Amino acid sequence: MNASPALLQGHLVSWLHAPRRRRTAAPRRPRARIEPLEARIAPATFAGTGGPALDITLDHAGEAITIVATPTSYTVNSNFVAVDGGQTGGHVTGFSITSTSIDTAAFTTIHITDSSTG
């Protein structure tokens, strides 16, 4: 097909003057960040729920705890003595000292709550 030069020129002019679409950048994805948590310091109260859960409540300022897991027990170390909150069924030992042992077979869930205000 042969097009006349005037027709080609008309198409070229209309193409040159046609509005252009700008490419839009893809939306930026937010970057995942790690935020450091503040140190929590409190003594622990251990209380059973009468079932397979154990509640550890940190309710005093100034105590740091560490938890070490072994195949048969969790050891909770503190600079304060542990308090027996009841219903632990003899599966938590070491009250009135700074190292408490929890029988891993006795509890399927352990809740740790920091309720200290200091």
Side-chain angles (χ1 to χ4, degrees):
M1 169 180 195
N2 291 333
S4 70
L7 183 61
L8 289 175
Q9 183 180 10
H11 285 297
L12 180 62
V13 169
S14 64
W15 179 78
L16 289 173
H17 291 290
R20 301 278 178 240
R21 289 188 211 157
R22 291 187 172 210
R23 288 187 177 179
T24 57
R28 287 187 163 192
R29 289 185 181 179
R31 287 184 143 183
R33 291 185 241 162
I34 297 175
E35 183 176 319
L37 300 176
E38 61 190 54
R40 295 293 181 155
I41 300 174
T45 300
F46 294 77
T49 61
L54 177 69
D55 294 327
I56 300 174
T57 303
L58 308 177
D59 53 5
H60 292 89
E63 179 183 22
I65 66 169
T66 59
I67 301 172
V68 179
T70 68
T72 59
S73 69
Y74 296 110
T75 301
V76 180
N77 296 303
S78 169
N79 58 338
F80 285 91
V81 297
V83 177
D84 184 358
Q87 294 186 346
T88 59
H91 298 288
V92 179
T93 57
F95 297 116
S96 301
I97 60 174
T98 59
S99 183
T100 305
S101 181
I102 303 167
D103 179 7
T104 58
F107 303 103
T108 58
T109 306
I110 297 176
H111 303 262
I112 301 173
T113 305
D114 184 2
S115 64
S116 68
T117 58

